[in-house]
Amino acid sequence: AACVTEGSAWPAREMGDRTGDGAQPPRAGPAAAAAAAPGAAVCFTLSLSGLRCEGCSGTVRTALRAVTGVAYAEVVYAESCAIVSGAAGLCGDALTAAVAAAGFEASVIDQRNVDGSAPAPPLSLLERRELERLRPKLEAALSRVAELEAALAAAGIPAPAPR
C-alpha cells in the first residue's frame, strides 16, 4: 500500500478542527461507534500494523467500509487502531481479511455489543449437537404449553403468572 504523505500529524480536517493545531482527538469506542451508526449491533476494535501515514489510514478505512454489514468504520492513525460497528452478523475475520487485502495487518483486540456487553461466546460442536438433539423435545413441550393455556382460557381459568 502506497503512502500519500509521510509523517503527518493528526489530521485536523478529518475531525472538523479548523484551528489546524493537529491535536489528537479522544480515542473512539463502542459509544462513539453507536452514536455514529444508529442501529448497529456489534462493535470491534482492531489493532493495525503497517500504517505509515494518514493515506494508509484512508486506505484501511475505505477497505473496512466496503465490508458487508459495516455501518461505521474509523481509523485512528496515531493509535494504529480502527473502530468498526455494524450488523449483528458482522465478524472479525471479514474485517481482518479486508485489511489484509488492502496490504496491511489487523487483529481484533475487542468485540462488544454496542450496548457495551460482551457477545455470547459461540457454541462448541458438542453444544450444537446437544441443542439439536433436544430441539424436538423443547418444541413439543412448548406446543403443549400453548395447548394448556388455550384449554385454561376456554374453561375460564386464568393462566398462571410466568415465573
Side-chain angles (χ1 to χ4, degrees):
C3 287
V4 178
T5 59
E6 291 293 334
S8 60
W10 181 259
R13 66 185 181 283
E14 285 191 16
M15 298 308 295
D17 176 6
R18 302 294 180 225
T19 64
D21 65 359
Q24 180 178 336
R27 183 174 181 158
V42 65
C43 181
F44 293 86
T45 303
L46 306 175
S47 175
L48 303 171
S49 299
L51 300 180
R52 297 187 338 226
C53 68
E54 285 300 330
C56 296
S57 297
T59 300
V60 171
R61 183 181 313 106
T62 300
L64 290 169
R65 289 178 180 173
V67 174
T68 301
V70 169
Y72 170 86
E74 192 56 55
V75 175
V76 182
Y77 169 68
E79 296 185 27
S80 295
C81 74
I83 305 296
V84 181
S85 64
L90 185 61
C91 73
D93 290 342
L95 300 174
T96 56
V99 173
F104 301 92
E105 293 181 25
S107 60
V108 175
I109 57 174
D110 189 37
Q111 177 183 352
R112 299 248 166 230
N113 294 325
V114 169
D115 66 6
S117 63
L123 296 176
S124 70
L125 179 60
L126 184 61
E127 290 169 322
R128 285 195 308 268
R129 286 182 180 161
E130 183 68 6
L131 181 61
E132 289 304 315
R133 186 184 71 77
L134 294 174
R135 185 180 307 266
K137 293 179 182 180
L138 178 60
E139 289 172 350
L142 290 173
S143 70
R144 284 193 293 268
V145 168
E147 292 169 10
L148 268 171
E149 287 176 340
L152 288 172
I157 303 170
R163 297 185 216 183

